[in-house]
Amino acid sequence: MDLFRSEAMQLVQLIIPIESAHHTVSYIGDLGLLQFKDLNADKSPFQRTYAAQIKKFGEMSRKLRFFKEQMEKAGVTPLTKPMKQAEIDVDDLEVKLGELEAELVEMNTNNEKLQHSYNELVEYKLVLNKAGEFFSSAFSRATAQQKEIESQQTGEESLDTPLLEDKEISIESSKQVKLGFITGLVLKEKSMLFERIIFRATRGNVYTRQAAVEEPVIDPVSGEKVEKNVFVVFYSGEKAKTKILKICEAFGANRYSFTEDFGKQVQMISEVSGRLSELKTTIDAGLLQKSNLLQTISDRFVQWNTLVREEKSIYHTMNMLSLDVTKKCLVAEGWSPVFATNLIQDALQRAAFDSNLQVGTILQVLHTSESPPTYFRTNKFTSAFQDIVDAYGVAKYQEANPGVYTIVTFPFLFAIMFGDWGHGICMLLAALVFIIREKKLSGQKLGDITEMTFGGRYVILMMAFFSIYTGLIYNEFFSVPFKLFAPSAYACRDLSCRDATTYGLIKVRPTYPFGVDPVWHGSRSELPFLNSLKMKLSILIGVSQMNLGIILSYFNATYFKNSVNIWFQFIPQMIFLNSLFGYLSLLIILKWCTGSQADLYHVMIYMFLSPTDELGENQLFPRQKTVQLVLLLSALVSVPWMLLPKPFILKKQHQARQGESYMPLQSTEDSLQLEANHDSHGHEEFEFSEVFLYIR
């Protein structure tokens, strides 16, 4: 039946030997023409037959995701070159993935340790340089002050001077205190708060110096690149030291040892620089080794990932099958199109042959009263349109498919809004690029937006064709009119006429043969005229589409032999729709054909408010008032006709079906068949209120 109606479906049962179950499910999955039913719905995932295999392939999937994350961080792109799946053994792949994961984890661990040490040495070197500058500048100032004091002492001396100096020297020597200091780095954004809290915690008995690091550094703990300051805090006493250490820990400040000896400082800077050079060489070698390993993984990643996903899907499907009593066969049930029976049997024969079995899978068709699923055969052109329809709702089994008509209506309604043949040509070129290169692009990994656009390339093609058509009707090429088919039918009466107005224009030629006359563009009446045209076109197209939907419901009712829907749904809906909106569409066409000045707003409003009043100048045809009265009464009658009888009829039919379910049975076979039917449909409840509201 292709697109017009869904395919005829059948419920089939497969009795599969366990030895060929894997090949059978794999080959049927490649066909994509059998929807398996879950025969173990009452079991949890852990109680099913192949739970261990699902767990194994889930672990392999986790390892592949880990590889993908590592490749993304390293900037390595997986290759997509084709490779036969037969070259890959699942058990060997499991072992190989485990070895590769262990190797990558070890490399990452070693690299993290080396990088941590490297970042610490970088910070240590900064502390040595900046703190060395502090002490060097302090030593220079102290030396200068000492020289100044000595120069003053060599000057003129009074009799009292030696006595005073001896006293001061004795006092200063008795008060000399050994100061300790702590050096390290703290975040630049927290440096002022850090200094303020240390000052308050020690009651001002500290001296703090800070210097900003010119470039951001990588923090050894977090691994992030941040801006930091080098600090030196001078303190006195163990209590002050304890407080400062706790504050450093709270602020996440990294502390490093430092010596006052300038000779040792130079030696330490030299040692740190040498260790940094060695660590840098080691880290680069490790990264190169890791990059080579990831490149090796990327060559087979797509094939491995595809294989693991397929195997996991196969075992997930096999978990939906039930074991027979002998535990030597698996029983499967599923829905398939009738036309696919031969294809499925061929796949079953190939599975038995590849499994070296003498007895293949048994296929038999089951008779059931269950409602089958809906299946439409699509191709690369119709699949996108069918997806658009399915996004709003899937048609019931063997109902008329709106997807066929969407191929025309969807792009045409878009074109009514878009309507520019210049832009339409641009869309056409873009769609043709995707269509010409579809074989190449279909095998590539595309971005989200590009993949979505590529999937809808034929939708864009149809929208481009219709946009060119409506653009010619609107006479717009990038919003510029052209005299394509003939000169304008209007010309200026005299020299006072301008292009910006329609006053003074007279008709001197036949009507413009196709689309809007270019003289309307740029005139004062352009906006009212084009808006009126597009609005009336939208009404005509919308009413036509609603009529199409109602007509499709008639074909559905005829196909399913449902007379209730014909008499109490199709007929009143057609009467109601066309008595009002169909009549409005007719008036629009008559007004275009006759050139009448009738106000259609006035006609439709007073058709309800004052149906018996005379129409006057708004009359478009003889006996119009009588026709409007008949249409109005028909619309009023169709509303209760459409809403009231159908719920009561459906309730009566439901009660009749319930009575039939208790008929006497002729045989045991009939009893079993009717019991199965009763189990599937006998417990359906009829909610009169819900049916009544649904019909409304």
Side-chain angles (χ1 to χ4, degrees), residues 307 399 489 498 613:
L307 176 62
E399 278 188 343
R498 295 176 300 172
D613 290 355

Side-chain angles (χ1 to χ4, degrees), residues 493-510:
R493 177 181 300 168
D494 50 40
L495 296 177
S496 62
C497 174
R498 295 176 300 172
D499 292 337
T501 178
T502 55
Y503 298 113
L505 289 175
I506 58 174
K507 189 172 182 180
V508 295
R509 299 182 188 90

Side-chain angles (χ1 to χ4, degrees), residues 9 28 261 319 343 368 383 410 425 508 538 550 564 566 639:
M9 304 292 287
I28 291 177
D261 190 343
N319 268 339
L343 296 174
T368 179
S383 60
F410 181 82
I425 290 174
V508 295
S538 301
I550 298 174
V564 174
I566 295 176
V639 173

Side-chain angles (χ1 to χ4, degrees), residues 90-135:
V90 175
D91 296 331
D92 294 342
L93 179 60
E94 181 183 13
V95 175
K96 189 174 184 63
L97 292 181
E99 294 174 352
L100 290 173
E101 183 192 29
E103 190 174 354
L104 266 178
V105 169
E106 185 179 0
M107 285 183 179
N108 289 338
T109 304
N110 294 336
N111 183 65
E112 288 175 2
K113 291 180 180 178
L114 292 173
Q115 196 67 44
H116 180 80
S117 301
Y118 181 82
N119 295 332
E120 282 186 341
L121 289 176
V122 169
E123 287 192 348
Y124 192 19
K125 186 176 180 180
L126 290 172
V127 169
L128 291 174
N129 290 329
K130 296 293 182 180
E133 293 176 1
F134 295 155
F135 282 88

